[in-house]
Amino acid sequence: MLGVAGGIAAYKAAELCRALVQRGYTVQVVMTKAATEFIQPLTFAALTGRKVVTSLFSSGNSEETLSSAVEHIAIAQEHDLLVVAPATADILAKFAHGLADDFLSTLYLAFTGPVVLAPAMNTNMWRHAATQANLEALRARGHKIVEPEDGFLACGMIGPGRLADPESIADVVAEQLEHRHDLAGETVLITAGPTQEPLDPVRFISNRSSGKMGYALAEAAAERGARVILISGPVHLPAPRGATVVPVKTAGEMRDAVFGNLRGATMVIKAAAVADFHLSTVPQQKIKKTAARLSLELDPTPDILAELGRDKKDWLLIGFAAETENLEREARRKLQTKNCDMIVANLVGGDESGFESDHNEIALALKTGEFLRFPRASKRELADEILTQALHLRHVLAEPAHER
Ligand code: PMT
């Protein structure tokens, strides 16, 4: 589905439409009312050979009107991807906030597949805090944003805001459609969030993990067709669509849930921040406050990743490393000592990435000896990158060593 919103760049959507048709896609064009002020629906109808949808309701009698609305929403179920070009500041705001007052914004809410957004607008509108906040929210949902280019804009300003080249938008569409089912047939077991190790019936030791990284991985894997089992410590996040969530509290419970759900897994990804120490014997009553100093003797928890590494079968084993220094050295060390295929290393300790943030900055240490760094991005974008690299790695590891 190609959504065209009302901006001066709407005419370039015709080029994008032609590029998509030339690549063999069936394209259903949906235009906002404002878009029809800039370019005629007939242009798109001629390019696609399909009637263009310009409004939620047809102008006939009430029965026709109702059936057209139902029929139109059915479009969402029949198509594989939604690309919006140009995505105006207005349509980005509607998508970000879930408003549904025209066909395109209604369709967006009814559609569950991948979304590609190619914004185009005046430089100041692009830089405005409201637009940037809306883009952040849309990125965090896993939508792909094709950044506008710098250049001379119709309003006379020079700066970012010009619609990206239609061929490069078509490339992103192709890439997203390739991702679409590339994990079909896989069973991905993911751990996420912190663990809570009780000290008494009311207190526990835990850490700052929000679960966002692991949940982003679960969401991305499910969207790409995998069966996903998400073993989650206590977090405040909604269950990712399509994933089976197994809630746990302690490291011991997480270990049992991992090994209890391992059958059939083809990838195991350990994004959880598992507590390293716990009280082996938890007092049955609340520890009383006294003036005296309190010392607690803690024992190590089971190292689930190391145990998986020792017991390694033919699943791809991906561990995480949360470090405050020496990222590469620590990642390579954990790759070896825990017998993993990949370590996702992230620098933690700041507010901009790692724990709690919607963003992360990661590097991947691979069994092939490579060490790949990625710029700071949303956890959802990085989740897709990790899964793409994991698939590629498995492919490489399957080749005879002398051919790699
Ligand atoms: O949840 P968020 O707020 O989104 O934050 C994401 C994150 C920072 C928690 C995540 O990106 C991350 O780094 N997770 C791993 C945190 C961690 O425990 O790192 P570690 O270096 O201490 O452990 C290394 C690996 O061993 C991890 O895969 C961990 O899951 C695993 N481990 C650790 C201890 C233990 N007892 N059992 C384990 O399996």
Side-chain angles (χ1 to χ4, degrees):
M1 296 172 287
L2 168 60
V4 185
I8 185 74
Y11 75 94
K12 289 196 198 160
E15 269 179 60
L16 171 61
C17 183
R18 195 185 49 191
L20 293 171
V21 171
Q22 274 175 352
R23 290 175 191 224
Y25 299 121
T26 302
V27 182
Q28 172 63 59
V29 175
V30 173
M31 298 176 75
T32 63
K33 191 164 180 303
T36 63
E37 304 283 341
F38 289 93
I39 182 167
Q40 287 294 314
L42 189 59
T43 307
F44 293 106
L47 287 168
T48 60
R50 287 174 152 234
K51 200 161 172 252
V52 173
V53 182
T54 53
S55 93
L56 192 50
F57 304 109
S58 69
S59 49
N61 63 37
S62 59
E63 224 166 87
E64 270 176 28
T65 296
L66 174 65
S67 73
S68 85
V70 172
E71 201 179 293
H72 287 171
I73 287 302
I75 292 175
Q77 269 77 54
E78 290 161 8
H79 290 79
D80 295 316
L81 178 141
L82 170 65
V83 50
V84 181
T88 56
D90 176 64
I91 205 77
L92 293 176
K94 279 184 186 161
F95 286 3
H97 295 278
L99 299 183
D101 64 352
D102 64 3
F103 185 67
L104 185 54
S105 49
T106 307
L107 179 73
Y108 167 76
L109 284 185
F111 183 57
T112 55
V115 176
V116 175
L117 301 168
M121 66 197 72
N122 158 283
T123 298
N124 289 344
M125 290 171 83
W126 170 252
R127 288 189 177 137
H128 198 285
T131 304
Q132 290 303 317
N134 290 335
L135 282 162
E136 271 313 292
L138 294 164
R139 276 196 194 99
R141 262 173 231 167
H143 302 340
K144 200 85 195 160
I145 312 292
V146 189
E147 300 276 325
E149 293 169 356
D150 267 30
F152 185 77
L153 303 174
C155 55
M157 290 181 84
I158 296 175
R162 209 167 65 175
L163 186 72
D165 169 50
E167 282 296 338
S168 46
I169 302 173
D171 286 345
V172 176
V173 168
E175 190 188 290
Q176 292 298 302
L177 285 169
E178 256 173 49
H179 272 175
R180 185 106 174 92
H181 299 295
D182 62 355
L183 289 176
E186 303 274 348
T187 296
V188 184
L189 189 145
I190 299 170
T191 67
T195 63
Q196 291 179 353
E197 309 302 327
L199 297 178
D200 69 12
V202 298
R203 302 184 178 96
F204 57 80
I205 311 177
S206 192
N207 59 63
R208 286 171 47 204
S209 170
S210 63
K212 287 177 184 170
M213 190 67 242
Y215 274 58
L217 280 158
E219 192 179 280
E223 251 177 38
R224 289 165 71 162
R227 176 175 163 252
V228 178
I229 300 159
L230 176 61
I231 297 172
S232 174
V235 298
H236 303 283
L237 297 173
R241 194 165 28 204
T244 305
V245 181
V246 181
V248 296
K249 281 217 168 85
T250 64
E253 286 171 19
M254 185 169 275
R255 184 216 164 269
D256 293 347
V258 167
F259 284 93
N261 285 280
L262 205 49
R263 244 179 87 162
T266 54
M267 278 188 203
V268 180
I269 310 182
K270 296 262 339 12
V274 187
D276 290 318
F277 298 96
H278 71 154
L279 261 191
S280 307
T281 313
V282 180
Q284 300 223 318
Q285 306 303 329
K286 186 180 164 202
I287 301 171
K288 293 272 182 291
K289 184 183 171 197
T290 63
R293 229 171 142 173
L294 174 72
S295 297
L296 292 169
E297 198 148 315
L298 301 174
D299 292 308
T301 54
D303 188 327
I304 310 166
L305 184 60
E307 202 174 332
L308 286 164
R310 279 196 298 275
D311 215 23
K312 196 159 178 312
K313 300 277 177 332
D314 51 4
W315 15 265
L316 203 73
L317 182 56
I318 304 176
F320 269 66
E323 306 297 338
T324 50
E325 56 182 349
N326 300 328
L327 199 63
E328 181 165 356
R329 198 185 68 200
E330 285 307 308
R332 287 190 187 278
R333 190 181 62 77
K334 283 185 179 158
L335 187 78
Q336 287 274 324
T337 57
K338 302 207 180 190
N339 192 24
C340 294
D341 298 300
M342 180 196 289
I343 287 283
V344 182
N346 44 192
L347 271 180
V348 295
D351 292 336
E352 303 279 284
S353 67
F355 288 98
E356 293 170 312
S357 168
D358 288 333
H359 296 85
N360 210 353
E361 197 171 330
I362 62 163
L364 305 182
L366 308 181
K367 202 176 178 176
T368 51
E370 286 165 285
F371 190 77
L372 311 172
R373 289 179 190 275
F374 295 86
R376 183 176 175 273
S378 73
K379 285 182 174 166
R380 186 56 177 70
E381 285 171 292
L382 292 170
D384 268 318
E385 198 55 65
I386 293 166
L387 293 170
T388 301
Q389 293 294 338
L391 278 178
H392 180 65
L393 178 65
R394 196 178 37 211
H395 187 70
V396 172
L397 293 178
E399 289 169 5
H402 66 273
E403 284 179 21
R404 277 178 214 160

